[in-house]
Amino acid sequence: MPDAIEFLEQLDEKSREKIYYNMKKSQFVNDSELFKKLNDNIWEFRTLFNSKAYRLFSFWDKTDEQETLVIATHGLIKKTPKTPIREITMAEEIRKGYLNNKHKRK
């Protein structure tokens, strides 16, 4: 999603590389430190690097029976222990828009 790409592009190279490394790792290892479920639909992809907590909000697209996609909606550098509700709401809205557009194309 464009907001997730923009977030990643704004990061310094080493931070971005660490997030990409964790993304690749998550394809092969089920690590509860990498993903945290925030509600029924939204997950937080987590990377801790240089004392900063990077978060990419995401959801699963399981509409294709052969492949599950993980879609990142947007990201932030987390500064408080509690995830802001507005960020979860934003991820939900992006998810709804994505699914609506996907169904319209079929």
Side-chain angles (χ1 to χ4, degrees):
M1 304 302 291
D3 291 346
I5 293 167
E6 182 179 327
F7 170 73
L8 290 167
E9 287 176 347
Q10 291 176 0
L11 299 176
D12 65 272
E13 186 177 349
K14 291 210 180 272
S15 298
R16 189 173 41 250
E17 286 176 3
K18 178 63 175 182
I19 293 169
Y20 289 152
Y21 170 83
N22 280 346
M23 286 178 176
K24 192 70 169 168
K25 179 180 174 183
S26 72
Q27 293 176 340
F28 303 103
V29 177
N30 187 1
D31 186 343
S32 62
E33 292 297 312
L34 295 178
F35 277 106
K36 178 182 178 187
K37 191 170 188 175
L38 298 176
N39 66 23
D40 288 342
N41 299 310
I42 303 300
W43 293 72
E44 189 178 58
F45 181 79
R46 302 153 22 133
T47 297
L48 183 61
F49 182 68
N50 283 343
S51 301
K52 288 185 181 177
Y54 298 93
R55 300 294 188 258
L56 282 171
F57 295 89
S58 57
F59 62 92
W60 273 219
D61 177 354
K62 297 181 182 181
T63 55
D64 181 348
E65 294 178 15
Q66 296 176 348
E67 185 176 50
T68 299
L69 298 175
V70 178
I71 310 294
T73 61
H74 68 291
L76 59 81
I77 298 173
K78 194 169 175 184
K79 297 179 178 158
T80 62
K82 189 105 169 123
T83 301
I85 297 295
R86 71 180 175 277
E87 301 297 339
I88 299 170
T89 302
M90 182 177 175
E92 284 281 6
E93 293 301 317
I94 293 170
R95 177 184 169 273
K96 287 176 190 171
Y98 168 86
L99 294 174
N100 284 338
N101 286 335
K102 185 173 180 175
H103 292 299
K104 286 179 185 175
R105 286 184 268 140
K106 286 187 175 184

PDB file of all heavy atoms in Angstrom, residues 21-33:
ATOM      1  N   TYR A  21      14.678  -7.396   6.410  1.00  0.00           N
ATOM      2  CA  TYR A  21      15.227  -8.654   6.925  1.00  0.00           C
ATOM      3  C   TYR A  21      14.161  -9.397   7.736  1.00  0.00           C
ATOM      4  O   TYR A  21      13.955 -10.605   7.574  1.00  0.00           O
ATOM      5  CB  TYR A  21      16.469  -8.389   7.780  1.00  0.00           C
ATOM      6  CG  TYR A  21      16.937  -9.607   8.527  1.00  0.00           C
ATOM      7  CD1 TYR A  21      17.738 -10.569   7.906  1.00  0.00           C
ATOM      8  CD2 TYR A  21      16.566  -9.819   9.857  1.00  0.00           C
ATOM      9  CE1 TYR A  21      18.150 -11.706   8.587  1.00  0.00           C
ATOM     10  CE2 TYR A  21      16.973 -10.950  10.542  1.00  0.00           C
ATOM     11  CZ  TYR A  21      17.765 -11.884   9.899  1.00  0.00           C
ATOM     12  OH  TYR A  21      18.165 -13.010  10.579  1.00  0.00           O
ATOM     13  N   ASN A  22      13.474  -8.667   8.627  1.00  0.00           N
ATOM     14  CA  ASN A  22      12.437  -9.293   9.453  1.00  0.00           C
ATOM     15  C   ASN A  22      11.259  -9.777   8.603  1.00  0.00           C
ATOM     16  O   ASN A  22      10.653 -10.799   8.900  1.00  0.00           O
ATOM     17  CB  ASN A  22      11.955  -8.339  10.539  1.00  0.00           C
ATOM     18  CG  ASN A  22      12.896  -8.301  11.720  1.00  0.00           C
ATOM     19  OD1 ASN A  22      13.774  -9.149  11.862  1.00  0.00           O
ATOM     20  ND2 ASN A  22      12.732  -7.312  12.575  1.00  0.00           N
ATOM     21  N   MET A  23      10.945  -9.034   7.546  1.00  0.00           N
ATOM     22  CA  MET A  23       9.867  -9.475   6.646  1.00  0.00           C
ATOM     23  C   MET A  23      10.229 -10.815   6.012  1.00  0.00           C
ATOM     24  O   MET A  23       9.412 -11.731   5.960  1.00  0.00           O
ATOM     25  CB  MET A  23       9.620  -8.443   5.545  1.00  0.00           C
ATOM     26  CG  MET A  23       8.917  -7.215   5.999  1.00  0.00           C
ATOM     27  SD  MET A  23       8.762  -6.092   4.592  1.00  0.00           S
ATOM     28  CE  MET A  23       7.814  -4.790   5.320  1.00  0.00           C
ATOM     29  N   LYS A  24      11.454 -10.900   5.530  1.00  0.00           N
ATOM     30  CA  LYS A  24      11.913 -12.147   4.912  1.00  0.00           C
ATOM     31  C   LYS A  24      11.911 -13.276   5.952  1.00  0.00           C
ATOM     32  O   LYS A  24      11.461 -14.392   5.669  1.00  0.00           O
ATOM     33  CB  LYS A  24      13.317 -11.940   4.330  1.00  0.00           C
ATOM     34  CG  LYS A  24      13.768 -13.027   3.433  1.00  0.00           C
ATOM     35  CD  LYS A  24      12.968 -12.996   2.150  1.00  0.00           C
ATOM     36  CE  LYS A  24      13.585 -13.905   1.123  1.00  0.00           C
ATOM     37  NZ  LYS A  24      12.704 -14.125   0.004  1.00  0.00           N
ATOM     38  N   LYS A  25      12.386 -12.984   7.149  1.00  0.00           N
ATOM     39  CA  LYS A  25      12.417 -13.977   8.221  1.00  0.00           C
ATOM     40  C   LYS A  25      11.012 -14.490   8.535  1.00  0.00           C
ATOM     41  O   LYS A  25      10.820 -15.692   8.754  1.00  0.00           O
ATOM     42  CB  LYS A  25      13.038 -13.343   9.472  1.00  0.00           C
ATOM     43  CG  LYS A  25      13.105 -14.239  10.669  1.00  0.00           C
ATOM     44  CD  LYS A  25      13.736 -13.503  11.843  1.00  0.00           C
ATOM     45  CE  LYS A  25      13.687 -14.315  13.111  1.00  0.00           C
ATOM     46  NZ  LYS A  25      14.228 -13.568  14.259  1.00  0.00           N
ATOM     47  N   SER A  26      10.028 -13.606   8.517  1.00  0.00           N
ATOM     48  CA  SER A  26       8.658 -13.996   8.863  1.00  0.00           C
ATOM     49  C   SER A  26       8.053 -14.966   7.855  1.00  0.00           C
ATOM     50  O   SER A  26       7.073 -15.646   8.158  1.00  0.00           O
ATOM     51  CB  SER A  26       7.776 -12.759   9.017  1.00  0.00           C
ATOM     52  OG  SER A  26       7.509 -12.176   7.760  1.00  0.00           O
ATOM     53  N   GLN A  27       8.639 -15.044   6.662  1.00  0.00           N
ATOM     54  CA  GLN A  27       8.142 -15.997   5.673  1.00  0.00           C
ATOM     55  C   GLN A  27       8.504 -17.435   6.046  1.00  0.00           C
ATOM     56  O   GLN A  27       7.864 -18.375   5.591  1.00  0.00           O
ATOM     57  CB  GLN A  27       8.720 -15.684   4.292  1.00  0.00           C
ATOM     58  CG  GLN A  27       8.223 -14.380   3.719  1.00  0.00           C
ATOM     59  CD  GLN A  27       8.900 -14.052   2.388  1.00  0.00           C
ATOM     60  OE1 GLN A  27       9.961 -14.573   2.066  1.00  0.00           O
ATOM     61  NE2 GLN A  27       8.276 -13.187   1.634  1.00  0.00           N
ATOM     62  N   PHE A  28       9.533 -17.591   6.871  1.00  0.00           N
ATOM     63  CA  PHE A  28      10.044 -18.921   7.184  1.00  0.00           C
ATOM     64  C   PHE A  28       9.902 -19.317   8.648  1.00  0.00           C
ATOM     65  O   PHE A  28       9.950 -20.501   8.962  1.00  0.00           O
ATOM     66  CB  PHE A  28      11.529 -19.007   6.788  1.00  0.00           C
ATOM     67  CG  PHE A  28      11.757 -18.693   5.338  1.00  0.00           C
ATOM     68  CD1 PHE A  28      12.257 -17.456   4.952  1.00  0.00           C
ATOM     69  CD2 PHE A  28      11.453 -19.627   4.363  1.00  0.00           C
ATOM     70  CE1 PHE A  28      12.456 -17.158   3.619  1.00  0.00           C
ATOM     71  CE2 PHE A  28      11.657 -19.336   3.023  1.00  0.00           C
ATOM     72  CZ  PHE A  28      12.152 -18.099   2.642  1.00  0.00           C
ATOM     73  N   VAL A  29       9.758 -18.327   9.528  1.00  0.00           N
ATOM     74  CA  VAL A  29       9.739 -18.578  10.961  1.00  0.00           C
ATOM     75  C   VAL A  29       8.495 -17.938  11.576  1.00  0.00           C
ATOM     76  O   VAL A  29       8.206 -16.772  11.315  1.00  0.00           O
ATOM     77  CB  VAL A  29      11.006 -17.977  11.632  1.00  0.00           C
ATOM     78  CG1 VAL A  29      10.972 -18.161  13.128  1.00  0.00           C
ATOM     79  CG2 VAL A  29      12.261 -18.563  11.031  1.00  0.00           C
ATOM     80  N   ASN A  30       7.775 -18.689  12.370  1.00  0.00           N
ATOM     81  CA  ASN A  30       6.623 -18.149  13.082  1.00  0.00           C
ATOM     82  C   ASN A  30       7.123 -17.556  14.396  1.00  0.00           C
ATOM     83  O   ASN A  30       7.301 -18.261  15.381  1.00  0.00           O
ATOM     84  CB  ASN A  30       5.589 -19.253  13.331  1.00  0.00           C
ATOM     85  CG  ASN A  30       4.314 -18.708  13.912  1.00  0.00           C
ATOM     86  OD1 ASN A  30       4.173 -17.504  14.129  1.00  0.00           O
ATOM     87  ND2 ASN A  30       3.370 -19.587  14.171  1.00  0.00           N
ATOM     88  N   ASP A  31       7.388 -16.262  14.406  1.00  0.00           N
ATOM     89  CA  ASP A  31       7.996 -15.574  15.540  1.00  0.00           C
ATOM     90  C   ASP A  31       6.999 -14.586  16.132  1.00  0.00           C
ATOM     91  O   ASP A  31       6.639 -13.593  15.494  1.00  0.00           O
ATOM     92  CB  ASP A  31       9.260 -14.852  15.063  1.00  0.00           C
ATOM     93  CG  ASP A  31      10.046 -14.222  16.195  1.00  0.00           C
ATOM     94  OD1 ASP A  31       9.506 -14.049  17.301  1.00  0.00           O
ATOM     95  OD2 ASP A  31      11.218 -13.873  15.964  1.00  0.00           O
ATOM     96  N   SER A  32       6.545 -14.838  17.349  1.00  0.00           N
ATOM     97  CA  SER A  32       5.557 -13.964  17.993  1.00  0.00           C
ATOM     98  C   SER A  32       6.107 -12.576  18.296  1.00  0.00           C
ATOM     99  O   SER A  32       5.352 -11.654  18.594  1.00  0.00           O
ATOM    100  CB  SER A  32       5.023 -14.607  19.268  1.00  0.00           C
ATOM    101  OG  SER A  32       6.086 -14.786  20.195  1.00  0.00           O
ATOM    102  N   GLU A  33       7.418 -12.411  18.226  1.00  0.00           N
ATOM    103  CA  GLU A  33       8.010 -11.079  18.410  1.00  0.00           C
ATOM    104  C   GLU A  33       7.814 -10.206  17.164  1.00  0.00           C
ATOM    105  O   GLU A  33       7.885  -8.996  17.245  1.00  0.00           O
ATOM    106  CB  GLU A  33       9.502 -11.190  18.721  1.00  0.00           C
ATOM    107  CG  GLU A  33       9.798 -11.796  20.072  1.00  0.00           C
ATOM    108  CD  GLU A  33       9.265 -10.964  21.223  1.00  0.00           C
ATOM    109  OE1 GLU A  33       9.495  -9.744  21.238  1.00  0.00           O
ATOM    110  OE2 GLU A  33       8.601 -11.531  22.105  1.00  0.00           O
TER     111      GLU A  33
END
